[in-house]
Amino acid sequence: MNSCRGARTAMIVGAGVAGLTAATALAGAGWRVEIAEVAPLKATSGWGLCLTGPALRALAELGLADACLTAGYGMSVITHVDVDGEPAGQVRLPRLTGARRPAMAGIARPVLHRILHAEAEQRGVVVRQGLTVTAVDQEGELVRVRLSDGTVRLVALLVGADGIRSSTRSLLGLETSLDYQGQMVWRALVPRPQWVTGIHQFAGKAGTAGLVPISAGVAYVFLTENGVEQSVLPEAGLVPRLRQILKAFPGRMAEIRPLVSGSESVVRRPVLTTFLAGAWNRGHSVVIGDAAHAPAPQMASGAALAIEDGLVLAEELGRHGSVRAGLAAFVRRRRQRCRTLVETSVAIAGLERAQRHREAYPLTDGGHRLMAEPA
Ligand SMILES: Cc1cc2nc3c(=O)[nH]c(=O)nc-3n(C[C@H](O)[C@H](O)[C@H](O)COP(=O)(O)OP(=O)(O)OC[C@H]3O[C@@H](n4cnc5c(N)ncnc54)[C@H](O)[C@@H]3O)c2cc1C
């Protein structure tokens, strides 16, 4: 048995965005928190992430927005370019954390994780790597959690924050499907061209591509390949394939192709979405973040939803006398917002597959307006 035992103790599975921010919020509310993370922490994939306004707002509540802006790249405008290379409009996003800060930030994932991890540890959270959960049983008011190193914890709260393929979700018997949206997404780090001071999105004939700055010197290229089977390419084939697909894009994307050849980091992932339509909790256990609701990356809102989850979870547990009542209130507050976001992202993916990009822009804007509402 471990010292993390009894009332107001929590075990969190997964040290991703959801797990680390939930841990920080719970520790800030007086909980003793331990995280079991299956991977070595330095293994966080090296591509970038866009933290939209709601993500920055949630990070500001944890006192972390300025650290992310300093380490990343602040911006406020999305520029759309249509299939003929013509400007298709600019969206100026609202500054949800006040006029002093930009509307959003691009940031390298390992940098974001370092910031979140440091804050969690600062608040006393214990992060154990190379560890997972193998069994979960509710025992009265406590959860008995068996870990892969053979040790056991008896905690008041178990949080599954272990991503879209969550095994905690399975251990709890919460069923959902992972839905492939017929798209593969690419990310590649490139030197930031000077004109890239916000998000640039280009509609091509067979997909969408664009750029997001993540620091003064680095941007990431994003590209969505439409109507393809889910597949894995050999490592050596990634750069040539990405450069070939980029040929189809108009205007200034042509400047980006040669930069990709020297890219240190090219990743290609299937667009998978999920939404847990049934219960998100069992007894004193709950799943959050991508484990409960994973939108397609086109909305750039998965991280925002994950961070909001952690804040709302700590808030509702603080408001209610029992963990069960707190979890029920958490799920009530989160379900509709997360469902709408996932459904909107799926609709956008469908319009992109049908090459109806202009119809997708209002959906994207509507999704951002919804997310601008308080969590
Ligand atoms: C290509 C791509 C680009 C994206 N771009 C954006 C973007 O720009 N903006 C945005 O907001 N969102 C973006 N998203 C979505 C975003 O990455 C996710 O919504 C977000 O990371 C979810 O956080 P999470 O903590 O729930 O899950 P994850 O980030 O997946 O973290 C889960 C953690 O749990 C660990 N884990 C897994 N299984 C176990 C286990 N059995 N035991 C213990 N630990 C385990 C993992 O190692 C990981 O550390 C993108 C997604 C993809 C695929």
Side-chain angles (χ1 to χ4, degrees), residues 13-19 36-39 47 49-50 109 131-132 161-163 167 185 187 220 289-290 297 300-304 306:
V13 192
V17 180
E37 163 60 49
V38 77
W47 74 90
L49 190 76
C50 178
R109 273 178 195 255
L131 204 60
T132 187
D162 45 351
S167 56
V185 279
R187 298 287 186 268
Y220 72 80
D290 272 12
S301 292

PDB file of all heavy atoms in Angstrom, residues 13-19 36-39 47 49-50 109 131-132 161-163 167 185 187 220 289-290 297 300-304 306, ligand 1:
ATOM      1  N   VAL A  13      -4.752   8.362 -14.168  1.00  0.00           N
ATOM      2  CA  VAL A  13      -4.071   7.505 -15.136  1.00  0.00           C
ATOM      3  C   VAL A  13      -3.786   8.348 -16.384  1.00  0.00           C
ATOM      4  O   VAL A  13      -4.714   8.776 -17.073  1.00  0.00           O
ATOM      5  CB  VAL A  13      -4.936   6.285 -15.521  1.00  0.00           C
ATOM      6  CG1 VAL A  13      -4.100   5.274 -16.295  1.00  0.00           C
ATOM      7  CG2 VAL A  13      -5.545   5.641 -14.279  1.00  0.00           C
ATOM      8  N   GLY A  14      -2.499   8.610 -16.660  1.00  0.00           N
ATOM      9  CA  GLY A  14      -2.117   9.375 -17.843  1.00  0.00           C
ATOM     10  C   GLY A  14      -1.629  10.770 -17.494  1.00  0.00           C
ATOM     11  O   GLY A  14      -2.343  11.542 -16.864  1.00  0.00           O
ATOM     12  N   ALA A  15      -0.378  11.067 -17.892  1.00  0.00           N
ATOM     13  CA  ALA A  15       0.191  12.407 -17.664  1.00  0.00           C
ATOM     14  C   ALA A  15       0.208  13.188 -18.967  1.00  0.00           C
ATOM     15  O   ALA A  15       1.220  13.745 -19.368  1.00  0.00           O
ATOM     16  CB  ALA A  15       1.596  12.291 -17.080  1.00  0.00           C
ATOM     17  N   GLY A  16      -0.952  13.220 -19.660  1.00  0.00           N
ATOM     18  CA  GLY A  16      -1.105  14.070 -20.839  1.00  0.00           C
ATOM     19  C   GLY A  16      -1.665  15.413 -20.390  1.00  0.00           C
ATOM     20  O   GLY A  16      -1.616  15.762 -19.194  1.00  0.00           O
ATOM     21  N   VAL A  17      -2.233  16.154 -21.339  1.00  0.00           N
ATOM     22  CA  VAL A  17      -2.775  17.483 -21.021  1.00  0.00           C
ATOM     23  C   VAL A  17      -3.882  17.363 -19.968  1.00  0.00           C
ATOM     24  O   VAL A  17      -3.908  18.114 -18.982  1.00  0.00           O
ATOM     25  CB  VAL A  17      -3.346  18.138 -22.302  1.00  0.00           C
ATOM     26  CG1 VAL A  17      -3.922  19.506 -22.000  1.00  0.00           C
ATOM     27  CG2 VAL A  17      -2.282  18.247 -23.362  1.00  0.00           C
ATOM     28  N   ALA A  18      -4.797  16.389 -20.158  1.00  0.00           N
ATOM     29  CA  ALA A  18      -5.919  16.249 -19.223  1.00  0.00           C
ATOM     30  C   ALA A  18      -5.432  15.840 -17.844  1.00  0.00           C
ATOM     31  O   ALA A  18      -5.828  16.422 -16.829  1.00  0.00           O
ATOM     32  CB  ALA A  18      -6.919  15.215 -19.756  1.00  0.00           C
ATOM     33  N   GLY A  19      -4.565  14.812 -17.796  1.00  0.00           N
ATOM     34  CA  GLY A  19      -4.121  14.286 -16.510  1.00  0.00           C
ATOM     35  C   GLY A  19      -3.331  15.304 -15.708  1.00  0.00           C
ATOM     36  O   GLY A  19      -3.569  15.487 -14.502  1.00  0.00           O
ATOM     37  N   ALA A  36      -0.201   7.858 -12.656  1.00  0.00           N
ATOM     38  CA  ALA A  36       0.492   6.708 -13.262  1.00  0.00           C
ATOM     39  C   ALA A  36       0.529   6.945 -14.766  1.00  0.00           C
ATOM     40  O   ALA A  36      -0.515   7.031 -15.410  1.00  0.00           O
ATOM     41  CB  ALA A  36      -0.257   5.417 -12.952  1.00  0.00           C
ATOM     42  N   GLU A  37       1.732   7.085 -15.309  1.00  0.00           N
ATOM     43  CA  GLU A  37       1.902   7.341 -16.743  1.00  0.00           C
ATOM     44  C   GLU A  37       2.657   6.168 -17.359  1.00  0.00           C
ATOM     45  O   GLU A  37       3.753   5.835 -16.911  1.00  0.00           O
ATOM     46  CB  GLU A  37       2.663   8.660 -16.952  1.00  0.00           C
ATOM     47  CG  GLU A  37       3.266   8.863 -18.328  1.00  0.00           C
ATOM     48  CD  GLU A  37       2.253   8.852 -19.478  1.00  0.00           C
ATOM     49  OE1 GLU A  37       1.233   9.543 -19.391  1.00  0.00           O
ATOM     50  OE2 GLU A  37       2.494   8.125 -20.469  1.00  0.00           O
ATOM     51  N   VAL A  38       2.086   5.584 -18.394  1.00  0.00           N
ATOM     52  CA  VAL A  38       2.659   4.356 -18.948  1.00  0.00           C
ATOM     53  C   VAL A  38       3.981   4.612 -19.687  1.00  0.00           C
ATOM     54  O   VAL A  38       4.871   3.759 -19.697  1.00  0.00           O
ATOM     55  CB  VAL A  38       1.630   3.632 -19.865  1.00  0.00           C
ATOM     56  CG1 VAL A  38       1.513   4.302 -21.225  1.00  0.00           C
ATOM     57  CG2 VAL A  38       1.944   2.166 -20.002  1.00  0.00           C
ATOM     58  N   ALA A  39       4.129   5.798 -20.285  1.00  0.00           N
ATOM     59  CA  ALA A  39       5.316   6.073 -21.107  1.00  0.00           C
ATOM     60  C   ALA A  39       6.379   6.799 -20.292  1.00  0.00           C
ATOM     61  O   ALA A  39       6.062   7.460 -19.308  1.00  0.00           O
ATOM     62  CB  ALA A  39       4.914   6.939 -22.300  1.00  0.00           C
ATOM     63  N   TRP A  47       5.663  17.136 -32.086  1.00  0.00           N
ATOM     64  CA  TRP A  47       5.032  18.114 -32.952  1.00  0.00           C
ATOM     65  C   TRP A  47       4.329  19.197 -32.132  1.00  0.00           C
ATOM     66  O   TRP A  47       4.305  19.140 -30.901  1.00  0.00           O
ATOM     67  CB  TRP A  47       4.127  17.455 -33.980  1.00  0.00           C
ATOM     68  CG  TRP A  47       2.828  16.906 -33.505  1.00  0.00           C
ATOM     69  CD1 TRP A  47       1.645  17.602 -33.459  1.00  0.00           C
ATOM     70  CD2 TRP A  47       2.530  15.579 -33.050  1.00  0.00           C
ATOM     71  NE1 TRP A  47       0.645  16.772 -33.009  1.00  0.00           N
ATOM     72  CE2 TRP A  47       1.151  15.533 -32.747  1.00  0.00           C
ATOM     73  CE3 TRP A  47       3.292  14.429 -32.878  1.00  0.00           C
ATOM     74  CZ2 TRP A  47       0.532  14.376 -32.279  1.00  0.00           C
ATOM     75  CZ3 TRP A  47       2.671  13.283 -32.411  1.00  0.00           C
ATOM     76  CH2 TRP A  47       1.319  13.270 -32.119  1.00  0.00           C
ATOM     77  N   LEU A  49       1.216  22.205 -31.128  1.00  0.00           N
ATOM     78  CA  LEU A  49      -0.186  22.216 -30.712  1.00  0.00           C
ATOM     79  C   LEU A  49      -0.655  23.664 -30.744  1.00  0.00           C
ATOM     80  O   LEU A  49       0.109  24.564 -30.407  1.00  0.00           O
ATOM     81  CB  LEU A  49      -0.240  21.687 -29.280  1.00  0.00           C
ATOM     82  CG  LEU A  49      -1.588  21.362 -28.668  1.00  0.00           C
ATOM     83  CD1 LEU A  49      -2.100  20.051 -29.238  1.00  0.00           C
ATOM     84  CD2 LEU A  49      -1.427  21.201 -27.163  1.00  0.00           C
ATOM     85  N   CYS A  50      -1.894  23.867 -31.145  1.00  0.00           N
ATOM     86  CA  CYS A  50      -2.461  25.213 -31.066  1.00  0.00           C
ATOM     87  C   CYS A  50      -3.339  25.288 -29.819  1.00  0.00           C
ATOM     88  O   CYS A  50      -4.290  24.518 -29.677  1.00  0.00           O
ATOM     89  CB  CYS A  50      -3.285  25.495 -32.330  1.00  0.00           C
ATOM     90  SG  CYS A  50      -4.057  27.103 -32.250  1.00  0.00           S
ATOM     91  N   ARG A 109       4.681  20.576 -28.262  1.00  0.00           N
ATOM     92  CA  ARG A 109       4.093  19.702 -27.225  1.00  0.00           C
ATOM     93  C   ARG A 109       5.045  19.420 -26.062  1.00  0.00           C
ATOM     94  O   ARG A 109       4.636  19.508 -24.909  1.00  0.00           O
ATOM     95  CB  ARG A 109       3.654  18.375 -27.845  1.00  0.00           C
ATOM     96  CG  ARG A 109       2.264  18.454 -28.402  1.00  0.00           C
ATOM     97  CD  ARG A 109       1.880  17.131 -29.042  1.00  0.00           C
ATOM     98  NE  ARG A 109       0.706  17.344 -29.851  1.00  0.00           N
ATOM     99  CZ  ARG A 109      -0.530  16.963 -29.512  1.00  0.00           C
ATOM    100  NH1 ARG A 109      -0.750  16.344 -28.388  1.00  0.00           N
ATOM    101  NH2 ARG A 109      -1.546  17.214 -30.302  1.00  0.00           N
ATOM    102  N   LEU A 131       4.198   3.148 -15.684  1.00  0.00           N
ATOM    103  CA  LEU A 131       3.243   2.477 -14.797  1.00  0.00           C
ATOM    104  C   LEU A 131       1.830   2.624 -15.358  1.00  0.00           C
ATOM    105  O   LEU A 131       1.470   3.673 -15.899  1.00  0.00           O
ATOM    106  CB  LEU A 131       3.312   3.210 -13.451  1.00  0.00           C
ATOM    107  CG  LEU A 131       2.880   2.465 -12.187  1.00  0.00           C
ATOM    108  CD1 LEU A 131       3.719   1.217 -11.965  1.00  0.00           C
ATOM    109  CD2 LEU A 131       3.002   3.401 -10.984  1.00  0.00           C
ATOM    110  N   THR A 132       1.040   1.549 -15.220  1.00  0.00           N
ATOM    111  CA  THR A 132      -0.361   1.670 -15.609  1.00  0.00           C
ATOM    112  C   THR A 132      -1.248   0.962 -14.585  1.00  0.00           C
ATOM    113  O   THR A 132      -0.748   0.420 -13.604  1.00  0.00           O
ATOM    114  CB  THR A 132      -0.586   1.123 -17.037  1.00  0.00           C
ATOM    115  OG1 THR A 132      -1.934   1.418 -17.430  1.00  0.00           O
ATOM    116  CG2 THR A 132      -0.392  -0.386 -17.115  1.00  0.00           C
ATOM    117  N   ALA A 161      -7.348   9.485 -17.516  1.00  0.00           N
ATOM    118  CA  ALA A 161      -6.999  10.564 -18.463  1.00  0.00           C
ATOM    119  C   ALA A 161      -5.981   9.994 -19.436  1.00  0.00           C
ATOM    120  O   ALA A 161      -4.968  10.627 -19.740  1.00  0.00           O
ATOM    121  CB  ALA A 161      -6.439  11.760 -17.694  1.00  0.00           C
ATOM    122  N   ASP A 162      -6.255   8.765 -19.904  1.00  0.00           N
ATOM    123  CA  ASP A 162      -5.253   8.046 -20.693  1.00  0.00           C
ATOM    124  C   ASP A 162      -5.575   8.020 -22.185  1.00  0.00           C
ATOM    125  O   ASP A 162      -5.255   7.056 -22.888  1.00  0.00           O
ATOM    126  CB  ASP A 162      -5.025   6.628 -20.137  1.00  0.00           C
ATOM    127  CG  ASP A 162      -6.321   5.881 -19.807  1.00  0.00           C
ATOM    128  OD1 ASP A 162      -7.392   6.502 -19.847  1.00  0.00           O
ATOM    129  OD2 ASP A 162      -6.258   4.674 -19.515  1.00  0.00           O
ATOM    130  N   GLY A 163      -6.186   9.103 -22.668  1.00  0.00           N
ATOM    131  CA  GLY A 163      -6.275   9.315 -24.104  1.00  0.00           C
ATOM    132  C   GLY A 163      -7.355   8.519 -24.814  1.00  0.00           C
ATOM    133  O   GLY A 163      -8.117   7.772 -24.203  1.00  0.00           O
ATOM    134  N   SER A 167      -7.384   2.627 -21.586  1.00  0.00           N
ATOM    135  CA  SER A 167      -7.647   1.291 -21.030  1.00  0.00           C
ATOM    136  C   SER A 167      -8.395   1.411 -19.703  1.00  0.00           C
ATOM    137  O   SER A 167      -9.058   0.465 -19.276  1.00  0.00           O
ATOM    138  CB  SER A 167      -6.358   0.480 -20.881  1.00  0.00           C
ATOM    139  OG  SER A 167      -5.449   1.178 -20.097  1.00  0.00           O
ATOM    140  N   VAL A 185      -3.939  12.891 -40.897  1.00  0.00           N
ATOM    141  CA  VAL A 185      -3.380  14.237 -40.682  1.00  0.00           C
ATOM    142  C   VAL A 185      -1.871  14.160 -40.552  1.00  0.00           C
ATOM    143  O   VAL A 185      -1.332  13.224 -39.967  1.00  0.00           O
ATOM    144  CB  VAL A 185      -3.939  14.957 -39.429  1.00  0.00           C
ATOM    145  CG1 VAL A 185      -5.267  15.582 -39.695  1.00  0.00           C
ATOM    146  CG2 VAL A 185      -3.932  14.076 -38.215  1.00  0.00           C
ATOM    147  N   ARG A 187       1.787  16.373 -39.592  1.00  0.00           N
ATOM    148  CA  ARG A 187       2.419  17.509 -38.925  1.00  0.00           C
ATOM    149  C   ARG A 187       3.912  17.455 -39.244  1.00  0.00           C
ATOM    150  O   ARG A 187       4.497  16.373 -39.256  1.00  0.00           O
ATOM    151  CB  ARG A 187       2.263  17.455 -37.394  1.00  0.00           C
ATOM    152  CG  ARG A 187       0.806  17.504 -36.890  1.00  0.00           C
ATOM    153  CD  ARG A 187       0.227  18.898 -37.047  1.00  0.00           C
ATOM    154  NE  ARG A 187      -1.094  19.027 -36.454  1.00  0.00           N
ATOM    155  CZ  ARG A 187      -2.241  18.838 -37.092  1.00  0.00           C
ATOM    156  NH1 ARG A 187      -2.240  18.486 -38.365  1.00  0.00           N
ATOM    157  NH2 ARG A 187      -3.399  19.025 -36.483  1.00  0.00           N
ATOM    158  N   TYR A 220       4.742  24.813 -37.373  1.00  0.00           N
ATOM    159  CA  TYR A 220       4.465  23.469 -37.885  1.00  0.00           C
ATOM    160  C   TYR A 220       3.522  23.552 -39.067  1.00  0.00           C
ATOM    161  O   TYR A 220       2.646  24.415 -39.139  1.00  0.00           O
ATOM    162  CB  TYR A 220       3.982  22.503 -36.804  1.00  0.00           C
ATOM    163  CG  TYR A 220       2.586  22.671 -36.241  1.00  0.00           C
ATOM    164  CD1 TYR A 220       1.451  22.201 -36.911  1.00  0.00           C
ATOM    165  CD2 TYR A 220       2.405  23.251 -34.988  1.00  0.00           C
ATOM    166  CE1 TYR A 220       0.186  22.319 -36.359  1.00  0.00           C
ATOM    167  CE2 TYR A 220       1.137  23.375 -34.424  1.00  0.00           C
ATOM    168  CZ  TYR A 220       0.031  22.905 -35.124  1.00  0.00           C
ATOM    169  OH  TYR A 220      -1.223  23.037 -34.570  1.00  0.00           O
ATOM    170  N   GLY A 289     -11.007  14.110 -20.739  1.00  0.00           N
ATOM    171  CA  GLY A 289     -10.157  14.370 -21.913  1.00  0.00           C
ATOM    172  C   GLY A 289     -10.555  13.460 -23.073  1.00  0.00           C
ATOM    173  O   GLY A 289     -11.710  13.044 -23.207  1.00  0.00           O
ATOM    174  N   ASP A 290      -9.546  13.128 -23.900  1.00  0.00           N
ATOM    175  CA  ASP A 290      -9.810  12.298 -25.083  1.00  0.00           C
ATOM    176  C   ASP A 290     -10.408  10.938 -24.715  1.00  0.00           C
ATOM    177  O   ASP A 290     -11.049  10.303 -25.554  1.00  0.00           O
ATOM    178  CB  ASP A 290      -8.503  12.049 -25.858  1.00  0.00           C
ATOM    179  CG  ASP A 290      -8.216  13.143 -26.880  1.00  0.00           C
ATOM    180  OD1 ASP A 290      -8.886  14.189 -26.834  1.00  0.00           O
ATOM    181  OD2 ASP A 290      -7.311  12.941 -27.721  1.00  0.00           O
ATOM    182  N   PRO A 297      -8.883  16.800 -35.100  1.00  0.00           N
ATOM    183  CA  PRO A 297      -7.961  17.904 -34.775  1.00  0.00           C
ATOM    184  C   PRO A 297      -8.252  19.207 -35.522  1.00  0.00           C
ATOM    185  O   PRO A 297      -7.732  20.249 -35.136  1.00  0.00           O
ATOM    186  CB  PRO A 297      -6.578  17.351 -35.143  1.00  0.00           C
ATOM    187  CG  PRO A 297      -6.812  16.135 -35.947  1.00  0.00           C
ATOM    188  CD  PRO A 297      -8.182  15.638 -35.644  1.00  0.00           C
ATOM    189  N   ALA A 300      -8.945  22.105 -33.447  1.00  0.00           N
ATOM    190  CA  ALA A 300      -7.879  22.465 -32.490  1.00  0.00           C
ATOM    191  C   ALA A 300      -8.460  22.730 -31.103  1.00  0.00           C
ATOM    192  O   ALA A 300      -8.094  23.711 -30.447  1.00  0.00           O
ATOM    193  CB  ALA A 300      -7.087  23.674 -32.989  1.00  0.00           C
ATOM    194  N   SER A 301      -9.356  21.874 -30.665  1.00  0.00           N
ATOM    195  CA  SER A 301     -10.022  22.119 -29.380  1.00  0.00           C
ATOM    196  C   SER A 301      -9.918  20.959 -28.398  1.00  0.00           C
ATOM    197  O   SER A 301     -10.438  21.051 -27.295  1.00  0.00           O
ATOM    198  CB  SER A 301     -11.509  22.425 -29.623  1.00  0.00           C
ATOM    199  OG  SER A 301     -11.628  23.663 -30.270  1.00  0.00           O
ATOM    200  N   GLY A 302      -9.250  19.866 -28.806  1.00  0.00           N
ATOM    201  CA  GLY A 302      -9.141  18.719 -27.899  1.00  0.00           C
ATOM    202  C   GLY A 302      -8.425  19.083 -26.604  1.00  0.00           C
ATOM    203  O   GLY A 302      -8.845  18.680 -25.511  1.00  0.00           O
ATOM    204  N   ALA A 303      -7.350  19.858 -26.725  1.00  0.00           N
ATOM    205  CA  ALA A 303      -6.589  20.229 -25.520  1.00  0.00           C
ATOM    206  C   ALA A 303      -7.407  21.175 -24.643  1.00  0.00           C
ATOM    207  O   ALA A 303      -7.395  21.058 -23.414  1.00  0.00           O
ATOM    208  CB  ALA A 303      -5.266  20.869 -25.917  1.00  0.00           C
ATOM    209  N   ALA A 304      -8.138  22.102 -25.287  1.00  0.00           N
ATOM    210  CA  ALA A 304      -8.968  23.039 -24.509  1.00  0.00           C
ATOM    211  C   ALA A 304     -10.006  22.264 -23.694  1.00  0.00           C
ATOM    212  O   ALA A 304     -10.190  22.505 -22.491  1.00  0.00           O
ATOM    213  CB  ALA A 304      -9.662  24.033 -25.445  1.00  0.00           C
ATOM    214  N   ALA A 306      -9.831  19.197 -22.759  1.00  0.00           N
ATOM    215  CA  ALA A 306      -9.142  18.397 -21.738  1.00  0.00           C
ATOM    216  C   ALA A 306      -8.800  19.257 -20.513  1.00  0.00           C
ATOM    217  O   ALA A 306      -8.987  18.826 -19.372  1.00  0.00           O
ATOM    218  CB  ALA A 306      -7.880  17.781 -22.340  1.00  0.00           C
TER     219      ALA A 306
HETATM  220  C1  LIG B   1      -2.280  15.204 -35.081  1.00  0.00           C
HETATM  221  C2  LIG B   1      -3.059  15.857 -33.980  1.00  0.00           C
HETATM  222  C3  LIG B   1      -3.035  17.218 -33.841  1.00  0.00           C
HETATM  223  C4  LIG B   1      -3.757  17.850 -32.823  1.00  0.00           C
HETATM  224  N1  LIG B   1      -3.714  19.208 -32.717  1.00  0.00           N
HETATM  225  C5  LIG B   1      -4.384  19.811 -31.731  1.00  0.00           C
HETATM  226  C6  LIG B   1      -4.307  21.226 -31.557  1.00  0.00           C
HETATM  227  O1  LIG B   1      -3.637  21.917 -32.305  1.00  0.00           O
HETATM  228  N2  LIG B   1      -5.002  21.787 -30.528  1.00  0.00           N
HETATM  229  C7  LIG B   1      -5.750  21.032 -29.675  1.00  0.00           C
HETATM  230  O2  LIG B   1      -6.357  21.587 -28.747  1.00  0.00           O
HETATM  231  N3  LIG B   1      -5.841  19.706 -29.809  1.00  0.00           N
HETATM  232  C8  LIG B   1      -5.159  19.080 -30.800  1.00  0.00           C
HETATM  233  N4  LIG B   1      -5.223  17.735 -30.920  1.00  0.00           N
HETATM  234  C9  LIG B   1      -5.986  16.979 -29.915  1.00  0.00           C
HETATM  235  C10 LIG B   1      -5.196  16.903 -28.611  1.00  0.00           C
HETATM  236  O3  LIG B   1      -3.885  16.438 -28.857  1.00  0.00           O
HETATM  237  C11 LIG B   1      -5.898  15.976 -27.634  1.00  0.00           C
HETATM  238  O4  LIG B   1      -7.273  16.306 -27.559  1.00  0.00           O
HETATM  239  C12 LIG B   1      -5.288  16.106 -26.244  1.00  0.00           C
HETATM  240  O5  LIG B   1      -3.921  15.742 -26.293  1.00  0.00           O
HETATM  241  C13 LIG B   1      -6.053  15.215 -25.274  1.00  0.00           C
HETATM  242  O6  LIG B   1      -5.371  15.172 -24.064  1.00  0.00           O
HETATM  243  P1  LIG B   1      -5.474  13.891 -23.134  1.00  0.00           P
HETATM  244  O7  LIG B   1      -4.589  14.195 -21.966  1.00  0.00           O
HETATM  245  O8  LIG B   1      -6.894  13.557 -22.906  1.00  0.00           O
HETATM  246  O9  LIG B   1      -4.877  12.679 -23.971  1.00  0.00           O
HETATM  247  P2  LIG B   1      -3.383  12.448 -24.450  1.00  0.00           P
HETATM  248  O10 LIG B   1      -2.734  13.722 -24.829  1.00  0.00           O
HETATM  249  O11 LIG B   1      -3.460  11.356 -25.456  1.00  0.00           O
HETATM  250  O12 LIG B   1      -2.626  11.916 -23.155  1.00  0.00           O
HETATM  251  C14 LIG B   1      -2.877  10.631 -22.620  1.00  0.00           C
HETATM  252  C15 LIG B   1      -1.719  10.253 -21.732  1.00  0.00           C
HETATM  253  O13 LIG B   1      -2.022   8.991 -21.119  1.00  0.00           O
HETATM  254  C16 LIG B   1      -0.922   8.109 -21.274  1.00  0.00           C
HETATM  255  N5  LIG B   1      -1.472   6.752 -21.313  1.00  0.00           N
HETATM  256  C17 LIG B   1      -2.104   6.124 -22.320  1.00  0.00           C
HETATM  257  N6  LIG B   1      -2.491   4.899 -21.950  1.00  0.00           N
HETATM  258  C18 LIG B   1      -2.110   4.757 -20.658  1.00  0.00           C
HETATM  259  C19 LIG B   1      -2.242   3.722 -19.726  1.00  0.00           C
HETATM  260  N7  LIG B   1      -2.858   2.566 -20.032  1.00  0.00           N
HETATM  261  N8  LIG B   1      -1.733   3.901 -18.465  1.00  0.00           N
HETATM  262  C20 LIG B   1      -1.116   5.056 -18.129  1.00  0.00           C
HETATM  263  N9  LIG B   1      -0.952   6.082 -18.995  1.00  0.00           N
HETATM  264  C21 LIG B   1      -1.453   5.932 -20.239  1.00  0.00           C
HETATM  265  C22 LIG B   1      -0.278   8.532 -22.583  1.00  0.00           C
HETATM  266  O14 LIG B   1       1.065   8.089 -22.660  1.00  0.00           O
HETATM  267  C23 LIG B   1      -0.411  10.050 -22.492  1.00  0.00           C
HETATM  268  O15 LIG B   1       0.649  10.621 -21.761  1.00  0.00           O
HETATM  269  C24 LIG B   1      -4.527  17.078 -31.931  1.00  0.00           C
HETATM  270  C25 LIG B   1      -4.562  15.694 -32.067  1.00  0.00           C
HETATM  271  C26 LIG B   1      -3.832  15.074 -33.069  1.00  0.00           C
HETATM  272  C27 LIG B   1      -3.872  13.573 -33.200  1.00  0.00           C
END
